[in-house]
Amino acid sequence: MPKGKIVKALSGFYYVQYEGGLVQCRGRGVFRQKKITPLVGDFVEFEYRDKKEGYILSIDGRDNQLTRPPVANVDQAIIVTSVKEPDLSLNLLDKFLVLVESKAIRPLLFFTKMDLLTEQESVLITDKLAYYKKIGYTVEFLSTKDKEVNQQLSVYLKNKVSVFAGQSGVGKTSLLNRIIPGLQLETDNISESLGRGKHTTRHVELIPFEQGLIADTPGFSALDFKEIALEELPSCFPEFVDLQDQCKFRGCMHIKEPKCAVKVALDQQEILEDRYQNYLQFVEEIKNRKPRY
């Protein structure tokens, strides 16, 4: 049986790329019975009569998978965050980072719409966001008017399977339209009443770019931690991981424990206060979530 990779999912159909081309497939009923959903990025075995009628027979093991957006076998996640319209939200950014870190996927941070800031606003925001570069993240600042955006970003995307994720309206789809001429993905204006973009990306698709693949995915304005255990949360903050061996207690949650190296670093302003407060909020969200049955 031929093997290939799902590069697009739409309305119950899975489009499998293999050495012979592209085949439109459905999943076998056994997947529904076992509550298994094929994902874009899956390597699969399939059979087909012609290019418009095929069936996925089996799915290879996954290196990783994301639920929102539904993509598997990702090398890196490009988290796109606007600095204005909608305004910068470190809480939402940190939530995206936790979800990506929990899947052991490398995050990269792209901040858009820098041209909408005044010079003073730009200095304040870049100073604050320098913290994320300090703790090891790749950070890029982008302008909607920047003609060199392709050169700026292509170095990160070459030979990688990248997922673009972020809140609706941050310019994620517009950015993809810029770097991939002729793509013409659907965009929409910001909803003034909600202060966020209208959802326009209705399916997930892997798009070839620079010998790699890019997944354009829906943005989300609300995220949750249903799949993250409370004791796993500190490991999703790399600056906490760097200090955890200096804490008195193994498995320190960095909240009320004595001789906590993270709290010491916070007091010495080596950890961003806003980010630590977000961590505390996430702890409460996980503690208060409803149990799954």
Side-chain angles (χ1 to χ4, degrees), residues 28-37:
R28 283 294 191 193
V30 67
F31 294 130
R32 288 191 297 274
Q33 294 168 16
K34 294 181 177 180
K35 296 184 179 179
I36 297 172
T37 301

Side-chain angles (χ1 to χ4, degrees), residues 14-52:
Y14 304 97
Y15 297 82
V16 179
Q17 185 78 52
Y18 76 117
E19 60 183 11
L22 190 69
V23 178
Q24 178 180 287
C25 296
R26 289 189 180 274
R28 283 294 191 193
V30 67
F31 294 130
R32 288 191 297 274
Q33 294 168 16
K34 294 181 177 180
K35 296 184 179 179
I36 297 172
T37 301
L39 297 177
V40 167
D42 274 335
F43 294 97
V44 299
E45 187 176 58
F46 66 101
E47 64 180 5
Y48 66 98
R49 294 180 184 175
D50 56 51
K51 295 297 177 69
K52 292 186 178 181

